[in-house]
Amino acid sequence: MPNLVGILNKEGQKGWMLVQVLTPEIAQGVWTGKTGNMVAILQRECANKAFKADS
């Protein structure tokens, strides 16, 4: 398993924030306590105001 803490800390230094982690088990409503695959959803504030919905 990759070093998730290290990866997320590195991305956090670039302005990214973890929103959610998804696994096939969670998506199906079954949690077995182990998984091989996951998707991390990250977000960060847009630097260009032209892309902001409220501008």
Side-chain angles (χ1 to χ4, degrees):
M1 180 167 229
N3 178 3
L4 294 179
V5 172
I7 293 168
L8 293 173
N9 282 335
K10 186 175 181 179
E11 295 306 317
Q13 292 171 351
K14 298 176 191 175
W16 289 97
M17 179 177 68
L18 178 67
V19 175
Q20 188 173 9
V21 175
L22 298 173
T23 67
E25 293 86 2
I26 291 172
Q28 295 173 3
V30 179
W31 178 247
T32 62
K34 60 183 177 179
T35 186
N37 298 312
M38 65 181 69
V39 174
I41 300 174
L42 304 171
Q43 74 177 18
R44 70 176 174 180
E45 193 164 328
C46 184
N48 186 341
K49 291 187 179 191
F51 292 109
K52 289 190 177 183
D54 59 341
S55 58

